[in-house]
Amino acid sequence: YPLPIYDGDLEEAEGLPDNAKKLKTLMRDHHAFLIACPEYNSSITPLLKNVIDWCSRPESDSEPTLECYTGKVIGLMAASPGGLGGLRVLRHVREIFSNINAIVIPEQAAIGGAFEAFDENGALADESNSRRVQSLVSRLVDVTDRLHAS
């Protein structure tokens, strides 16, 4: 879903890009998001921030504010070549989503030594890292199920 860098003047002139509309539709159709964040210079990547910004914009005057984020359950995980595993980016991403009406679960997974953390098939090589990610996913599903139970 390629998007231009968010620009209010561009939005005013042309409206939301088609790919932002497609992403918003996808996001509206789901109750939860699992977001894996690489860490760039101790913070969020420009690409992720750009997607968050474009998708926060209404498509019409009748669309509720922050529609595709409000009440969505968010699970966060990160990987980084450093020993902290992306903990610094997780703090920033948690703050952003909390401020746009999403529900960010407290559990998270941070994988340090990312260059060596995965096997040749892309799976986590260390069993404890694998268990942490699986625990995060299970908790995300559990919280989402509880919030959306009929």
Side-chain angles (χ1 to χ4, degrees), residues 88-99:
R88 294 173 293 201
V89 70
L90 293 177
R91 187 187 79 234
H92 291 184
V93 176
R94 177 177 300 281
E95 183 177 13
I96 291 166
F97 280 108
S98 294
N99 286 330

Side-chain angles (χ1 to χ4, degrees), residues 15-116:
L16 258 61
D18 286 342
N19 280 336
K21 292 176 185 179
K22 290 176 187 175
L23 279 169
K24 287 181 69 169
T25 297
L26 185 65
M27 295 166 82
R28 276 188 212 102
D29 290 344
H30 293 84
H31 295 299
F33 313 134
L34 178 62
I35 299 175
C37 312
E39 182 178 276
Y40 284 15
N41 298 318
S42 305
S43 190
I44 186 172
T45 66
L47 180 60
L48 178 58
K49 182 65 167 89
N50 195 51
V51 167
I52 293 167
D53 290 346
W54 272 118
C55 292
S56 73
R57 307 302 300 158
E59 292 176 54
S60 70
D61 291 339
S62 63
E63 180 180 316
T65 302
L66 301 168
E67 180 184 34
C68 68
Y69 297 116
T70 299
K72 303 296 178 158
V73 184
I74 310 283
L76 299 174
M77 57 187 191
S80 170
L84 295 177
L87 285 174
R88 294 173 293 201
V89 70
L90 293 177
R91 187 187 79 234
H92 291 184
V93 176
R94 177 177 300 281
E95 183 177 13
I96 291 166
F97 280 108
S98 294
N99 286 330
I100 56 176
N101 301 332
I103 301 163
V104 185
I105 63 173
E107 296 82 359
Q108 61 188 23
I111 309 298
F115 291 124
E116 299 147 357

